[in-house]
């Protein structure tokens, strides 16, 4: 049975900001101080959900979790290159990361004909019109 992580994305105002930062740093690895105790569950189909400006907006599937020993032990969580947009879900501020049970995760946004997610403003307009 899988479980997910949720983490605050500090310094980004949008999902595009997050993508640009990741491309500029050429990284798919998130550094944390402690290895999650539920690492096996995370590797069984779990994702890292990013909270941007107080709202979960995107997830990235987790592909590896490695603990690096040393003077300051740390955990490296490697995520997929894929950014999967989710339905917005408000979250209160917190430090570090939190587990997110599958039953509590926001649904993925539908994909367009070319495989890309529909624009957020189009989804909001469809929802406001009652077509969603």
């Amino acid at each position: 049975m899988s479980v997910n992580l949720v983490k605050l994305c500090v310094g980004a105002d949008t999902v595009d900001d997050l993508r640009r930062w990741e491309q500029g740093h050429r990284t798919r690895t998130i550094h944390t101080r402690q290895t999650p105790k539920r690492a096996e569950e995370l590797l069984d189909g779990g994702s890292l959900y990013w909270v941007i400006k107080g709202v979960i907006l995107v997830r990235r599937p987790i592909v590896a979790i490695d603990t690096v020993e040393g003077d300051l032990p740390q955990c490296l969580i490697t995520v997929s290159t894929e950014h999967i947009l989710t339905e917005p879900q408000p979250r209160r501020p917190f430090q570090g990361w939190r587990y997110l049970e599958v039953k509590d995760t926001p649904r993925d946004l539908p994909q367009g004909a070319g495989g890309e997610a529909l624009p957020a403003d189009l989804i909001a307009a469809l929802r406001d019109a009652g077509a969603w």
Side-chain angles (χ1 to χ4, degrees):
M1 181 153 191
S2 84
V3 69
N4 303 287
L5 288 180
V6 62
K7 186 165 176 47
L8 296 179
C9 184
V10 179
D13 292 331
T14 66
V15 174
D16 286 336
D17 286 346
L18 172 63
R19 285 185 180 129
R20 278 191 292 276
W21 185 89
E22 290 169 343
Q23 287 172 348
H25 289 81
R26 299 183 188 272
T27 186
R28 301 187 308 143
T29 305
I30 289 79
H31 299 256
T32 68
R33 286 190 223 167
Q34 295 189 7
T35 301
K37 291 180 180 10
R38 299 174 71 180
E40 284 185 32
E41 292 174 84
L42 291 166
L43 292 170
D44 185 24
S47 290
L48 175 66
Y49 284 78
W50 284 111
V51 177
I52 300 173
K53 291 292 195 183
V55 180
I56 294 176
L57 295 175
V58 65
R59 72 178 177 91
R60 296 186 69 191
I62 296 172
V63 297
I65 298 175
D66 299 297
T67 302
V68 178
E69 299 299 330
D71 292 338
L72 295 172
Q74 62 178 324
C75 176
L76 307 176
I77 301 173
T78 304
V79 293
S80 166
T81 57
E82 183 179 21
H83 292 79
I84 302 167
L85 298 179
T86 66
E87 287 186 343
Q89 184 183 80
R91 298 296 285 201
R92 291 179 175 246
F94 59 91
Q95 291 184 347
W97 46 262
R98 299 287 183 265
Y99 290 110
L100 183 63
E101 299 296 331
V102 172
K103 66 180 178 55
D104 299 324
T105 58
R107 293 185 302 191
D108 293 346
L109 290 179
Q111 301 292 307
E116 69 280 353
L118 297 173
D121 57 344
L122 175 58
I123 291 169
L126 289 170
R127 189 173 288 133
D128 291 344
W132 191 278

